[in-house]
Amino acid sequence: MTTKKTRIKHTPEFKAEALKLADKVGVAAAARQLSLYESQIYGWRKAVKKDAKISDRERELATENAKLKRLLAEQAEELDLVRFVSNHAI
């Protein structure tokens, strides 16, 4: 009969501190100090980088969206002006 190990769920705070320690002393040393596998720290680091990239992309898209909304509003205003002038032409 084999015994199944239960997975430990580490808090986001613990992961952040582990990543800070890994930046200071290296991944291997941090893993030894915290009784972790190096792959866990590398995985957490990869996830943080992925989240940062997504955030940057979302920020870019929000900026572009605002720009396009302004442009659309300006064009709608110009169209209203053209319609007004054409309806009131002599």
Side-chain angles (χ1 to χ4, degrees):
M1 184 166 108
T2 59
T3 58
K4 187 173 184 179
K5 285 187 176 181
T6 57
R7 281 187 185 239
I8 299 172
K9 284 278 193 173
H10 296 288
T11 64
E13 294 81 15
F14 177 83
K15 293 176 183 181
E17 290 299 318
L19 290 174
K20 285 181 188 176
L21 180 62
D23 287 341
K24 287 181 186 177
V25 299
V27 173
R32 277 193 304 276
Q33 288 180 19
L34 299 171
S35 300
L36 298 171
Y37 293 104
E38 291 178 30
S39 61
Q40 287 176 289
I41 296 175
Y42 285 120
W44 297 340
R45 183 184 284 172
K46 184 177 179 180
V48 167
K49 286 181 182 180
K50 181 180 178 187
D51 289 344
K53 287 180 184 178
I54 290 171
S55 297
D56 290 343
R57 182 66 179 142
E58 287 175 357
R59 198 173 313 114
E60 289 172 12
L61 290 174
T63 302
E64 184 178 353
N65 190 23
K67 178 182 165 186
L68 292 172
K69 283 183 177 182
R70 282 193 304 273
L71 181 61
L72 183 60
E74 289 172 8
Q75 289 181 347
E77 211 174 288
E78 289 176 13
L79 183 59
D80 287 342
L81 182 61
V82 168
R83 285 181 183 158
F84 178 79
V85 170
S86 66
N87 287 337
H88 293 86
I90 302 177

